[in-house]
Amino acid sequence: MTRSPQVAVIVFPGTWSDRDFAHVAALVGWESRLVWHADGDLGEADAVVLPGGFAHGDHLRTGAIARFSPVMRAVEAFAAAGGPVLGSCNGFQVLTEAGILPGVLLRNDHLEFRCDWQPLRVEPTASPWLSGLEPGETIRLPISHGEGRFYADEATLDRLERDGLVALRYTDEAGSVVPGANPNGSLRSIAAIVNERGNVLGLMPHPERAAESEIGGTDGLRILRALDAWLVAQPAAAERRL
């Protein structure tokens, strides 16, 4: 008898989107397990989520303390083995600080905290997380951050562009990349990136807040459902569900 896909949701001191993701996982038909940052065991996870919040209070730098938590060794190994990992907002910051994704997230260029619905353009990329979205289409996801400005050196930015690792860009409602549509000053309007294998996605917007039409939209649910379809098609994941 098979079991439902299982997602490990990582919880640091200060994390607050963990139960939001657990709720959305149930909508997709997944089982979720909240994993405390001091626990080095992900269990039988088919996917891992690093949710939003303020890991360790962000007292040093966003994600800089969280990268040393014992659970990150397990997350790094899981990602290196090709396991699907999603880091949203603070989770994206943790992934960059841990070196799982390149670049860094800096203070918004206007020094304001922004909380709003944001249009985003889907870029062509080979990632199971975005397989349910069409390249070039515009989606809407909420943002909620004060340190979301993606920064990297020019060589890294050029590599991300060349290798198709930019996943989402900030746009206006018409889907155009223009300076006024960039909510935080991210270089090249980058809102999300993936690693070379496509199994790790880091994004500043919150897909878990866009999973039900009653609260504004379901584009975030499409991202998680795309992964669900991909997991079902993977023999290794199927074996883990026996």
Side-chain angles (χ1 to χ4, degrees):
M1 181 176 181
T2 61
R3 64 171 174 83
S4 300
Q6 294 186 7
V7 57
V9 182
I10 311 303
V11 183
F12 300 97
T15 295
W16 48 252
S17 279
D18 48 325
R19 298 188 186 275
D20 298 68
F21 267 107
H23 171 70
V24 175
L27 295 180
V28 179
W30 297 351
E31 297 176 6
S32 60
R33 172 176 171 240
L34 301 182
V35 180
W36 184 237
H37 76 111
D39 189 348
D41 181 14
L42 297 176
E44 297 182 342
D46 297 301
V48 172
V49 168
L50 280 71
F54 301 92
H56 295 277
D58 291 343
H59 291 307
L60 177 60
R61 189 175 65 248
T62 52
I65 300 175
R67 66 169 295 188
F68 295 108
S69 290
V71 75
M72 289 306 298
R73 307 290 80 76
V75 173
E76 290 168 4
F78 185 83
V85 177
L86 181 148
S88 170
C89 199
N90 195 209
F92 186 9
Q93 296 161 341
V94 174
L95 288 175
T96 60
E97 291 291 338
I100 298 174
L101 289 175
V104 67
L105 282 306
L106 303 177
R107 187 78 180 271
N108 295 350
D109 61 352
H110 43 65
L111 305 182
E112 297 176 352
F113 190 96
R114 289 291 170 87
C115 184
D116 203 355
W117 283 81
Q118 174 67 43
L120 303 148
R121 188 177 73 196
V122 179
E123 299 296 296
T125 186
S127 173
W129 291 104
L130 300 177
S131 60
L133 306 176
E134 291 296 327
E137 76 167 298
T138 301
I139 63 173
R140 294 177 74 252
L141 296 176
I143 59 169
S144 180
H145 60 258
E147 299 186 31
R149 179 163 60 101
F150 182 78
Y151 180 87
D153 59 62
E154 286 297 312
T156 299
L157 291 170
D158 289 342
R159 179 176 64 83
L160 291 173
E161 301 274 14
R162 182 186 67 246
D163 295 344
L165 305 182
V166 177
L168 299 171
R169 293 187 205 270
Y170 299 112
T171 70
D172 61 16
E173 293 290 347
S176 299
V177 176
V178 294
N182 190 328
N184 51 39
S186 287
L187 296 183
R188 304 193 190 184
S189 295
I190 292 174
I193 60 174
V194 296
N195 65 342
E196 288 80 0
R197 297 176 68 173
N199 60 302
V200 179
L201 169 66
L203 72 167
M204 280 312 295
H206 288 269
E208 79 282 5
R209 294 187 181 180
E212 296 170 288
S213 58
E214 292 83 354
I215 59 173
T218 58
D219 284 336
L221 190 63
R222 294 171 63 195
I223 293 175
L224 298 182
R225 280 181 172 159
L227 180 72
D228 182 65
W230 181 81
L231 283 174
V232 170
Q234 301 304 303
E239 290 174 5
R240 289 197 296 271
R241 291 196 293 274
L242 292 176

